[in-house]
Amino acid sequence: MWPKSLTAFFGGLLLSVSMMLSLYLLLPIAIDIKLLVGLLAGFSIWVAAMVYYYSFNSAKTSALACGKFLLFSVAVNFLLYWYQSPL
């Protein structure tokens, strides 16, 4: 139970931070509103990710599912950052 809990906790945390970074790069609003949206949506995504990762039978399958979503989210962040950075 502990390996699955740790995987869900840290994997969900990394995934929610990564998804909120994508949202932060996409929203064209004031910084204080971005921070509020990031706080509220980030916590909701983290809880949803933890519940999803707890649904797997083992920590290994949970980590594989987390890794797939995290790699996709990091790739989207990279593309968004690269697209917005001045060259």
Side-chain angles (χ1 to χ4, degrees), residues 3-75:
K4 189 165 66 167
S5 298
L6 291 174
T7 303
F9 182 82
F10 290 115
L13 185 63
L14 288 172
L15 185 64
S16 70
V17 168
S18 182
M19 291 177 76
M20 284 300 98
L21 179 60
S22 297
L23 187 63
Y24 181 81
L25 291 172
L26 288 173
L27 289 177
I29 53 179
I31 187 72
D32 53 345
I33 298 172
K34 282 183 184 181
L35 290 173
L36 180 65
V37 168
L39 178 69
L40 297 175
F43 184 72
S44 300
I45 290 172
W46 181 45
V47 169
M50 284 182 62
V51 168
Y52 176 68
Y53 296 138
Y54 273 122
S55 69
F56 290 99
N57 290 332
S58 69
K60 184 178 178 181
T61 55
S62 175
L64 288 174
C66 177
K68 289 177 188 177
F69 282 128
L70 190 58
L71 284 176
F72 177 71
S73 182
V74 167

